[in-house]
Amino acid sequence: MPSKTCVLCQKANAILKRPKTGQQICKECFFTVFETEVHNTITTAKLFKPGDRVAIGASGGKDSTVLAHVMKTLNDRYNYGLQLFLLSIDEGITGYRDDSLETVKRNQIQYDLPLKILSYDELYGWTMDAIVEQIGRKNNCTFCGVFRRQALDRGAAMLEVDHIVTGHNADDIAETVLMNIMRGDIARLGRCTLICTQGEDTIKRSKPFKYAYEKEIVMYAYFKKLDYFSTECIYSPDAYRGHARVFLKDLEAARPSAIIDIIHSGEAFEVAEDVKIKDQQTCQRCGYISSNELCKACALLEGLERGIAGMGIKERRRLEKAAPAPENLRTIPVFPRAPKSNEKLPA
Ligand code: SF4
Ligand code: ZN
């Protein structure tokens, strides 16, 4: 079969079919279009300004490894003027996170970026292994998600960064849109496609890969020979998300634009971020931003410390009423706030 010419440069041989568009293109043109699309996403959404200190949430997986590589490349190529850091959270999952963190440590050397690792154990006094031992495998991802979110914010505050970027890709976002539709959760549906959220406290979070297809991220990592870790977490991921993923892959096989189309549909429900920020207060125990007296992490941690985290809600309430929280509960350290140049902090 005669080899085809790249439809973009019209010179080199096409060696791949671009998953997003079906175009037959060469390797160099693939790198260029992939990187340029991410650059366009960043500039259209005005994600950064010169001098920003930005932490890349790094797990050692394909998405965050490609993100670290692309952020460094674009920062150099287009003079964004960013100070980049790698920020990793160690959930304490033996046989999974310990291995993936070794990858992040190699990435730190390969990309010459400072790395901060923060563990659930040092922050909460609990590893995911210990949490699963107490609560079983049913709600482990709820604990892990709440703890990770706050750990990332705390790590970012320690690094005094303004902004965290994460490797969430177009497939992840389209899956979330589908899940929120299937659950009828309109509030989350309105937030899940936002490229940038003013995270908890003052730290911004954004998703430069919002429009990058997972298949293209894998292809990019493969052709660039990037060093990443590809094993799934041993504590089975969210089963409901699994259904949305299978459904999305079927749709993508029939029509590749389905992923972007679903994101665009979700965007029609977007709400302004500041609407939800207004009624926030700070957690009475740890100072982290919260909509209740206790932040979610402190509430979950109290359940673990009292040994009632794995119980049903009725049984929990009964025990909580019968015995209020003891004074000497292990708690999370007070939230370290990153000082902002335009913000007055209490003396
Ligand atoms: Fe945590 Fe669940 Fe993800 Fe494993 S699959 S890292 S337990 S959120
Ligand atoms: Zn708290």
Side-chain angles (χ1 to χ4, degrees):
M1 203 175 78
S3 60
K4 287 195 176 138
T5 308
C6 168
V7 297
L8 295 178
C9 67
Q10 311 278 351
K11 289 186 208 124
N13 283 342
I15 60 151
L16 60 95
K17 185 174 164 202
R18 196 178 170 201
K20 200 173 188 175
T21 59
Q23 291 167 308
Q24 304 274 358
I25 57 177
C26 70
K27 202 161 76 174
E28 287 309 315
C29 282
F30 172 65
F31 294 151
T32 307
V33 287
F34 183 86
E35 290 160 2
T36 308
E37 283 181 10
V38 178
H39 171 65
N40 291 342
T41 304
I42 288 171
T43 50
T44 306
K46 298 190 178 69
L47 290 187
F48 312 114
K49 54 182 188 327
D52 276 355
R53 292 164 63 88
V54 179
I56 301 162
S59 67
K62 63 179 185 342
D63 300 302
S64 62
T65 304
V66 173
L67 182 63
H69 180 89
V70 171
M71 284 297 298
K72 190 171 165 68
T73 304
L74 297 179
N75 193 31
D76 293 344
R77 183 181 300 158
Y78 297 104
N79 294 319
Y80 289 168
L82 307 178
Q83 246 182 294
L84 298 174
F85 300 83
L86 296 174
L87 172 59
S88 291
I89 305 303
D90 179 0
E91 297 94 344
I93 302 174
T94 312
Y96 167 63
R97 188 54 84 216
D98 40 3
D99 291 341
S100 70
L101 284 175
E102 289 309 312
T103 314
V104 180
K105 287 178 194 163
R106 290 196 301 275
N107 292 158
Q108 170 190 18
I109 298 163
Q110 290 151 356
Y111 303 146
D112 191 23
L113 294 175
L115 166 67
K116 163 100 193 138
I117 301 176
L118 189 61
S119 71
Y120 284 6
D121 197 13
E122 66 188 278
L123 198 51
Y124 307 112
W126 285 79
T127 61
M128 274 312 291
D129 288 339
I131 292 172
V132 169
E133 206 171 297
Q134 180 180 126
I135 68 165
R137 289 195 176 203
K138 213 165 152 230
N139 292 321
N140 51 296
C141 293
T142 305
F143 280 77
C144 196
V146 169
F147 282 177
R148 184 183 307 104
R149 185 165 186 89
Q150 189 168 143
L152 271 173
D153 274 351
R154 285 170 176 269
M158 288 170 188
L159 287 171
E160 298 192 355
V161 304
D162 318 282
H163 199 140
I164 304 169
V165 289
T166 57
H168 292 99
N169 59 42
D171 300 50
D172 297 328
I173 297 168
E175 275 164 33
T176 310
V177 170
L178 290 175
M179 282 167 66
N180 287 330
I181 290 173
M182 293 191 286
R183 288 180 176 136
D185 191 337
I186 302 300
R188 282 213 172 86
L189 179 60
R191 291 198 300 267
C192 72
T193 54
L194 290 170
I195 185 163
C196 186
T197 49
Q198 185 71 47
E200 316 300 325
D201 210 77
T202 54
I203 297 154
K204 254 165 88 177
R205 277 168 191 258
S206 65
K207 303 167 186 147
F209 281 172
K210 177 178 174 184
Y211 298 113
Y213 276 32
E214 183 174 61
K215 281 185 182 164
E216 300 207 347
I217 291 171
V218 174
M219 224 174 221
Y220 187 94
Y222 173 79
F223 284 118
K224 284 274 181 190
K225 298 190 173 62
L226 300 186
D227 181 6
Y228 68 93
F229 181 80
S230 58
T231 306
E232 288 277 324
C233 173
I234 53 168
Y235 300 130
S236 54
D238 190 337
Y240 203 54
R241 180 171 285 275
H243 295 309
R245 181 164 301 170
V246 171
F247 181 46
L248 186 70
K249 291 281 173 231
D250 285 349
L251 291 175
E252 185 193 9
R255 196 166 59 119
S257 72
I259 295 176
I260 292 288
D261 295 340
I262 289 169
I263 295 176
H264 286 154
S265 304
E267 284 171 344
F269 292 86
E270 274 184 11
V271 288
E273 252 300 285
D274 41 336
V275 176
K276 75 174 184 76
I277 299 279
K278 279 184 193 132
D279 51 356
Q280 299 281 30
Q281 44 179 315
T282 48
C283 170
Q284 291 187 353
R285 204 169 278 169
C286 77
Y288 188 71
I289 202 157
S290 167
S291 37
N292 297 306
E293 274 182 20
L294 285 191
C295 71
K296 282 186 194 153
C298 280
L300 291 176
L301 188 59
E302 184 178 321
L304 287 169
E305 289 286 317
R306 297 174 73 181
I308 57 175
M311 294 177 183
I313 199 86
K314 273 193 186 159
E315 181 70 353
R316 260 191 85 143
R317 292 278 173 273
R318 195 182 63 73
L319 286 167
E320 275 166 356
K321 268 197 191 141
E327 293 280 302
N328 57 349
L329 273 186
R330 190 160 37 177
T331 54
I332 313 172
V334 173
F335 188 78
R337 298 196 62 195
K340 298 268 167 180
S341 50
N342 58 355
E343 177 189 42
K344 281 194 188 123
L345 287 178

